[in-house]
């Protein structure tokens, strides 16, 4: 493919270069490749430009002068890489309908619900998300919530080849900020909520919101949770169609007559011209919002609300999201991905309201991430749980005890009993060992993950296996 077919190029010496591949990883460069210099948090691709040329790169795409003869200067290499990746694969996203979902919590649940709704409506659907990517029923391992622009377009191309008509995808704030989804056109974009997370990257909530808002400059219709405190600022100055969903009357679509049960919720989905009973086989107030988002997005995309309701009722739940672990005991074990203050509050408040004896929370906080949320999560845990076990999550390069010490600053002075057990497996085993009849144990933070990231490396850790083994021993 000629360079001019990949990116606008007015230099006649470069425009007609035959390009054999596109990459932003200097280690992957082969003769004839276009190497795009991306500035990241840990390294700057411009420093590898000469190395890429020595390995045979036909052209270097850069934002500043690298001193090389074969360079093309562009205003933004992140955007250039997205455009070049899309062109390399023949712009596959333009051959399908795209629905994007962004927000701190709920993205995975909403996309899984939307995939089911669209499939029941007769469409073949691709999914891009945190747990996994999917092409119809084919599962592809996921390493990032939203992949790089190249990998994303490669997935889109495979989806087109497989006959997919729709793609539902999670759009993370990092991906939006780094232009991984740049120049895509979404039929519908969903905003679930915004709570404290990723401030190690975004620094402020204003920056975090601004990153999320980018998605709504690329869509025809915005579906917004108007109960969220940031909704008004998100909606401000949007030029696309905006519809809202909430638990109040002041919205386009609302949830009425909500009934909560330990393993399901039921409510009436209400619009100006329709009322539809909704049943979801997952408990919690957050489930109402997630299902409202999915049903509303589907309806705005032309799917009947009856089809959407029937589809959601067929779902048994999403892995690692309020997941009930098989347990032949007289207590209940729940696994959930809650790793933010709001996520932990949502899952614990859900089961706080259920008939039970005690609510036991097992949780930690990730290392090399926003430290300010750690005491907040400690405070949330002891406010809602009857007993807390503070442990390790993914400590990464940090000392697990230092992370736990940060959590404990939010617990000091509490009347809620708690215990610190750094080793997560031992913490889970301890919680199971003290469980009494009708207790509910919530294992928060890992969710779908089947590993733990330590300073020494990544180890296998599937909490379902840990629970099963511990129950055998007990």
């Amino acid at each position: 493919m000629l360079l001019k077919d990949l990116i606008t190029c007015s230099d006649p010496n470069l425009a007609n270069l035959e390009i054999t591949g596109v990459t932003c990883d200097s280690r992957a460069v082969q003769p004839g490749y276009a190497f795009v210099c991306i500035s990241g948090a840990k390294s700057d691709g411009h420093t590898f430009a000469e190395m890429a040329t020595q390995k045979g790169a036909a052209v270097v795409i850069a934002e500043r002068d690298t001193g090389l003869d074969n360079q093309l200067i562009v205003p933004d290499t992140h955007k250039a890489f997205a455009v070049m990746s899309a062109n390399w694969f023949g712009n596959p996203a333009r051959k399908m309908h795209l629905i994007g979902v962004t927000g701190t919590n709920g993205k995975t649940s909403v996309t899984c619900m939307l995939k089911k709704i669209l499939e029941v409506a007769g469409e073949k659907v691709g999914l891009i998300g945190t747990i996994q990517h999917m092409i119809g029923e084919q599962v592809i391992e996921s390493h990032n919530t939203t992949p790089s622009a190249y990998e994303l377009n490669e997935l889109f191309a495979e989806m087109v080849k497989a006959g997919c008509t729709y793609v539902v995808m999670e759009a993370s704030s990092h991906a939006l900020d780094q232009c991984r989804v740049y120049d895509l056109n979404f039929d519908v974009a969903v905003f679930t909520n915004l709570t404290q997370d990723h401030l190690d990257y975004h620094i402020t909530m204003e920056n975090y919101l601004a990153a999320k808002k980018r998605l709504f400059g690329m869509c025809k219709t915005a579906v917004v949770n108007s109960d969220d405190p940031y909704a008004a600022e998100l909606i401000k100055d949007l030029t696309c169609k905006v519809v809202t969903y909430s638990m109040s009357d002041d919205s386009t679509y609302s949830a009425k007559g909500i009934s909560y049960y330990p393993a399901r919720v039921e409510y009436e989905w209400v619009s100006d011209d329709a009322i539809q009973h909704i049943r979801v086989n997952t408990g919690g107030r957050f489930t109402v919002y997630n299902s409202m988002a999915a049903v509303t997005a589907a309806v705005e995309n032309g799917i009947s609300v009856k089809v959407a309701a029937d589809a959601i009722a067929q779902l048994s739940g999403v892995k690692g999201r309020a997941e009930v672990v098989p347990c032949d005991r007289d207590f209940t074990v729940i696994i959930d991905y809650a790793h933010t203050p709001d996520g932990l509050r949502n899952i614990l408040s859900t089961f706080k309201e259920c008939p039970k004896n005690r609510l036991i929370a097992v949780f930690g906080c990730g290392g090399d991430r926003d430290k300010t949320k750690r005491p907040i999560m400690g405070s949330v845990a002891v406010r809602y749980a009857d007993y807390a076990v503070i442990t390790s999550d993914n400590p990464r390069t940090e000392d697990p005890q230092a992370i736990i010490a940060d959590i404990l600053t939010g617990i000091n002075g509490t009347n809620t009993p708690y215990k610190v057990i750094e080793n997560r497996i031992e913490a889970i085993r301890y919680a199971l060992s003290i469980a009494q009849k009708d207790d509910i144990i919530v294992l928060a933070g890992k969710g779908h993950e089947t590993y733990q990231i330590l300073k020494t490396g990544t180890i296998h850790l599937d909490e379902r296996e840990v629970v099963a083994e511990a129950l055998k021993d007990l």
Side-chain angles (χ1 to χ4, degrees), residues 124-159:
K124 185 164 185 179
V125 186
L127 180 145
I128 294 171
T130 303
I131 296 178
Q132 60 195 15
H133 308 317
M134 298 183 73
I135 301 175
E137 295 305 311
Q138 179 190 354
V139 174
I140 300 168
E141 186 178 358
S142 170
H143 300 288
N144 297 99
T145 296
T146 311
S148 72
Y150 187 91
E151 184 185 354
L152 191 59
N153 280 279
E154 188 174 32
L155 281 167
F156 287 154
E158 289 298 316
M159 290 172 181

Side-chain angles (χ1 to χ4, degrees), residues 389-437:
V389 182
I390 297 92
T391 186
S392 186
D393 192 289
N394 287 324
R396 299 181 177 88
T397 65
E398 284 195 66
D399 177 5
Q401 284 293 343
I403 298 172
I404 290 171
D406 289 341
I407 295 172
L408 293 178
T409 61
I411 293 178
N412 291 337
T414 181
N415 292 322
T416 302
Y418 67 89
K419 189 174 183 67
V420 174
I421 302 177
E422 178 187 320
N423 184 286
R424 191 170 182 94
I425 294 175
E426 292 306 315
I428 293 170
R429 294 178 70 90
Y430 173 76
L432 295 170
S433 73
I434 65 169
Q436 302 171 2
K437 185 177 184 298

Side-chain angles (χ1 to χ4, degrees), residues 102-107 171-174 176 190-199 202 204-214 216 224-235 245 289-290 340-343 345-346:
T102 197
T104 306
N105 301 311
K107 296 187 295 297
S172 70
S173 59
H174 290 74
L176 289 161
V190 177
F191 172 74
T192 59
N193 51 58
L194 194 77
T195 61
Q196 184 173 335
D197 198 17
H198 303 308
L199 295 191
H202 295 292
T204 68
M205 289 298 290
E206 290 75 19
N207 292 342
Y208 187 25
L209 176 64
K212 294 290 189 187
K213 192 166 181 173
R214 289 188 180 190
F216 301 91
V224 178
N225 173 9
S226 59
D227 286 346
D228 188 83
Y230 287 93
E233 186 60 31
L234 181 101
I235 292 171
Y245 64 96
Y289 281 114
N290 292 341
T340 66
D342 186 63
R345 183 183 300 107
N346 284 338

Side-chain angles (χ1 to χ4, degrees), residues 197-273:
D197 198 17
H198 303 308
L199 295 191
D200 54 301
Y201 177 88
H202 295 292
I203 309 301
T204 68
M205 289 298 290
E206 290 75 19
N207 292 342
Y208 187 25
L209 176 64
K212 294 290 189 187
K213 192 166 181 173
R214 289 188 180 190
L215 180 64
F216 301 91
M218 298 183 279
C219 73
K220 296 176 184 175
T221 302
V223 173
V224 178
N225 173 9
S226 59
D227 286 346
D228 188 83
Y230 287 93
E233 186 60 31
L234 181 101
I235 292 171
K236 184 180 177 182
D237 298 327
L238 292 186
T239 58
C240 62
K241 176 184 176 183
V242 177
V243 300
T244 57
Y245 64 96
S246 76
M247 293 188 187
S248 69
D249 292 322
D250 190 22
S251 61
T252 317
Y253 304 96
S254 59
K256 299 294 183 184
I258 304 168
S259 297
Y260 297 101
Y261 303 92
R264 75 179 194 277
V265 295
E266 297 186 33
Y267 63 92
E268 305 301 320
W269 181 92
V270 180
S271 69
D272 288 341
D273 54 8

